[in-house]
Amino acid sequence: MLAKIIEPYVGRTGGLISALRAVQAEVGYLPEETEAVAGDLFNITRAEVKGVISFYHDFTREPKGETVVRLCAAEACQAAGGRQFVSEVEKQYALKMGETSASKDITLEPVYCLGLCSCAPAAMVGGRLVGMASAAKVEKAIERVKRERVS
């Protein structure tokens, strides 16, 4: 299955990164065997593949929750109450940053700038930006993502 996803990117400029992104989009994360399969197809070592995976924070080795909630931890968001905001969201979902709920429906992740500094604190819920974020706005955004997933 992984080879079928990776093969179309072999020989392309930036092919390895595109292949890894395609695997993550299809599988939800990069399974351990990704390194061996990609290494064989791109004719590079597993260490080289592992180096690329570990360099980019968007690549993940663990399955994430159905909805990924990214909370900005950069300076502008901290100055606008970001630490309190993060604390409230963590408390609301009984999760710490970097954790996935036992039901696998939510993952909380830190992110270091979403480009919404003028609307800090900021969050990203299911790929959508939330400015002037609060725990209540994050909750509404999560519910919207869930509704859209069902329909």
Side-chain angles (χ1 to χ4, degrees), residues 42-114:
F42 280 92
N43 196 27
I44 58 177
T45 66
R46 292 176 68 173
E48 290 173 299
V49 177
K50 188 174 185 172
V52 170
I53 292 170
S54 65
F55 183 79
Y56 294 101
H57 295 283
D58 280 341
F59 290 132
T60 182
R61 306 303 296 236
E62 303 284 330
K64 293 184 179 182
E66 289 182 21
T67 303
V68 176
V69 178
R70 293 177 159 185
L71 307 177
C72 186
E75 291 81 4
C77 285
Q78 287 183 20
R83 288 185 180 155
Q84 179 66 31
F85 162 61
V86 168
S87 176
E88 290 170 5
V89 173
E90 287 179 331
K91 184 177 178 183
Q92 184 167 347
Y93 293 99
L95 294 172
K96 293 290 183 189
M97 296 288 260
E99 292 181 344
T100 298
S101 62
S103 61
K104 306 287 185 201
D105 62 340
I106 296 173
T107 296
L108 290 184
E109 291 184 336
V111 64
Y112 297 95
C113 197
L114 291 166

Side-chain angles (χ1 to χ4, degrees), residues 1 6 32 52 63 79 84 89 102 106 127 132 139-140 143 148:
M1 173 183 164
I6 295 170
E32 191 67 33
V52 170
Q84 179 66 31
V89 173
I106 296 173
M132 296 183 184
E139 181 180 12
K140 286 181 183 177
E143 293 304 318
E148 290 173 355

